[in-house]
Amino acid sequence: MDATNQSPPKSKVAVAARWTYAVLALALLFVLMPFLFWRATWFGRLLTDDQLAAALADNSQPRNIQHGLSQVSDRIARGDPAVTKFYPRVLALAASPVAEIRTMDAWVMGGDNTSQEFHQALLRLLNDSSPMVQRNAALGLIRFQDASGHAVVVAILKPVVLDSPASGILQTRAKAGDALSPGAGVARIQAGNQKTEVQSQVAGRFGRWLVGNGASVTAGQAIASILPDDGSVWEALRALYLIGDAADLDAIAPYARGGEDSPPQIAQQARLTMEEIRSRSAAAPAAPQ
């Protein structure tokens, strides 16, 4: 019998089949894993009421809570009257120990300016320990025609001074112009065997070091400046268009002049905001003598 026509042993066929299935499974995994990751991290995935309630209550997974808050925001924007049944949980999350959740929670509450409970919660969040929570609370209050966060909004336009969280030797990491998100590490403080991370509390761009690498610093000492990011500046300028006063013009003027690193729409918005403030100030009745 011609050897070329002989069938391979069954054991070899089984091994070949297993390899084929393994390769196919691996190929499927390469396709499926990015999809599963995308599905797990994309806040646009619609949730049923039961899924939304479970997400908002999942204290073990902050990202699930953020997904739930995003869905609440979407329902508010659509004018869904049934969304109010989730409001008690939204209000409770304003006291979350996770700053990122409180930040998003403030943003969500600013979406419904008919809720007095949200209004009062946003007023309390103006005194939050996180600058990002304060910012979202201040911007959200404007929807309620409440300018209580005016000072917080103006401060968005100014550099933030970063203080050392501990005493020791400064080991710098960030460079001028680096994009920063809240919680981003910019340096480390070395004190003996103790290492303390220095993190940005705000979104922005790294400005400059106020002390040099290797310098000895003390807890609470100013060590760096952080410049506002374009998105935050844009939101602040739009807010000041509505609530700004003549005293804010000096903080706005640098953005009206523009610059190579600044998008042209920011300079345009700054000029519009300054014009509106001047017009509003000119139309305001004179104070009684």
Side-chain angles (χ1 to χ4, degrees), residues 141-244:
L141 283 168
I142 296 174
R143 295 287 307 278
F144 292 85
Q145 299 183 0
D146 187 336
S148 297
H150 174 263
V152 174
V153 174
V154 176
I156 294 174
L157 300 177
K158 302 175 181 179
V160 172
V161 175
L162 183 63
D163 295 334
S164 175
S167 298
I169 303 301
L170 177 66
Q171 299 174 346
T172 61
R173 186 182 308 161
K175 303 181 297 296
D178 284 354
L180 301 175
S181 58
V186 298
R188 178 180 292 169
I189 304 296
Q190 181 88 40
N193 294 326
Q194 183 71 32
K195 297 179 181 179
T196 304
E197 289 293 319
V198 182
Q199 299 175 323
S200 174
Q201 290 189 300
V202 297
R205 293 177 294 111
F206 190 82
R208 64 188 182 92
W209 290 105
L210 305 179
V211 293
N213 182 46
S216 178
V217 298
T218 58
Q221 179 181 346
I223 58 174
S225 66
I226 298 173
L227 305 175
D229 64 292
D230 293 338
S232 298
V233 169
W234 171 257
E235 291 297 338
L237 291 172
R238 293 204 307 161
L240 292 175
Y241 183 92
L242 300 173
I243 66 169

